[in-house]
Amino acid sequence: MDLAHATWPEVGENVEVVILPTGSCEQHGPHLPFATDAAVATAVAERTVARLLEAGIHAVLAPAMPYGASGEHEHFPGTIDIGHDALHSLLLELGRSISRWADRVVFVNGHGGNAPAIASAVRRLVYEGRDAAWIPCEIASGDAHAGRTETSLMSALAPGDVRHERAEAGATDPVELLMPMMRAGGVRAVSPNGVLGDPAGASAPEGDQLLAELVDAAVEAVLLGRADGAGRLRVAASA
C-alpha cells in the first residue's frame, strides 16, 4: 500500500511495517539527475512492500525523504544538503510518529552519506522502545557514485533522465584512497565532473538485474534480518 495515495480507512489498523525510502538531492555527474538516490531507494522500497504484501504482511510504503546529508557534493550547483544533525532529527521524529500506529519502521537508504544520521536515529528509536531498523541500497561490487552501477539502475528506472551522451569517467581510484582529499575539499577536489567510477558499459538490463538483487536483499532483511549495533538489518550467512 502506498501511503501517499491511500486514505486512512484503507491503511487500517494493525500495520506491521512501514517502509520509508531515504535519498538525497545531489549532483550525480553530468549525466544523471539529482534525484538518483531517492529514485533508487523508492523503487527498492516499492517493490519490497509489494513482496511483503504478497507474503501476507500488512506493509505500507511511506513517501520518500528526498533530501539528505550531502555536504561533500555542495561544490556542485543544485545540490541541497540538510546536514547530519537535521537529518537525524527528522528521521527520529518520523520514526516516533510512525511508531504510534505501526509496529515497525524500516528505512531503505539510497545515499551512503545518510548512513551515520540514519544509524543514530534508529539507535535512539530502539532505545526508546520502538522497533526500527534500516537497510542500505548497496551493491557489493558496485562503484561509488554516478558510475556504471547507478547509471545502469537509472537506465532501467528512468531512461529519459539519463544523458548517455554526456556520460564520462571520473575518479576511478578506490574511495578509501580518495577519502582524505574528499574530507578536505569534497567530491570536486578529486573529481571535477562529480563522478566516482566509470559509467561505460551501463545498460537498462543490467539495471534491472541490480534492482532485483537489491529488492531480494531488502525483502530477506525485513523478514529474516537482525539489526547490528548500527541498527542495520543483516541476514546471517548460511553455514
Side-chain angles (χ1 to χ4, degrees):
M1 177 177 294
D2 186 343
L3 186 60
H5 301 287
T7 65
W8 73 261
E10 291 168 337
V11 173
E13 308 291 340
N14 304 314
V15 175
E16 294 175 79
V17 60
V18 173
I19 308 292
L20 194 160
T22 58
S24 66
C25 179
E26 65 182 39
Q27 71 82 25
H28 275 76
H31 65 294
L32 293 180
F34 284 84
T36 292
D37 291 340
V40 172
T42 298
V44 172
E46 286 174 345
R47 288 158 175 77
T48 298
V49 166
R51 293 266 296 275
L52 294 174
L53 289 169
E54 290 173 0
I57 295 170
H58 190 176
V60 171
L61 173 70
M65 173 58 197
Y67 300 105
S70 302
E72 68 273 21
H73 297 279
E74 280 192 310
H75 296 94
F76 295 89
T79 295
I80 301 176
D81 165 49
I82 65 172
H84 290 285
D85 291 344
L87 183 60
H88 164 91
S89 297
L90 181 57
L91 296 179
L92 178 58
E93 293 304 329
L94 289 173
R96 286 169 172 166
S97 182
I98 290 168
S99 296
R100 295 187 180 100
W101 51 269
D103 295 338
R104 188 185 195 194
V105 57
V106 176
F107 300 102
V108 172
N109 181 44
H111 170 50
N114 291 342
I118 295 176
S120 63
V122 166
R123 284 195 299 266
R124 181 67 189 186
L125 289 167
V126 172
Y127 174 79
E128 294 174 352
R130 298 172 171 90
D131 190 346
W134 67 283
I135 305 165
C137 296
E138 184 176 271
I139 301 294
S141 60
D143 43 21
H145 185 75
R148 178 168 176 162
T149 303
E150 288 186 317
T151 304
S152 290
L153 284 165
M154 289 304 289
S155 294
L157 291 173
D161 288 340
V162 180
R163 286 72 162 174
H164 287 284
E165 72 282 2
R166 301 181 192 171
E168 59 186 17
T172 57
D173 290 333
V175 173
E176 295 76 18
L177 297 179
L178 300 173
M179 193 59 69
M181 288 183 64
M182 284 199 290
R183 286 198 181 100
V187 172
R188 199 156 199 169
V190 301
S191 176
N193 67 1
V195 178
L196 302 177
D198 187 350
S203 68
E206 182 174 286
D208 286 327
Q209 179 180 345
L210 294 173
L211 182 60
E213 292 175 8
L214 289 171
V215 174
D216 285 345
V219 172
E220 185 179 28
V222 172
L223 294 177
L224 303 174
R226 304 188 69 153
D228 62 15
R232 173 179 170 176
L233 291 175
R234 296 182 184 271
V235 179
S238 300

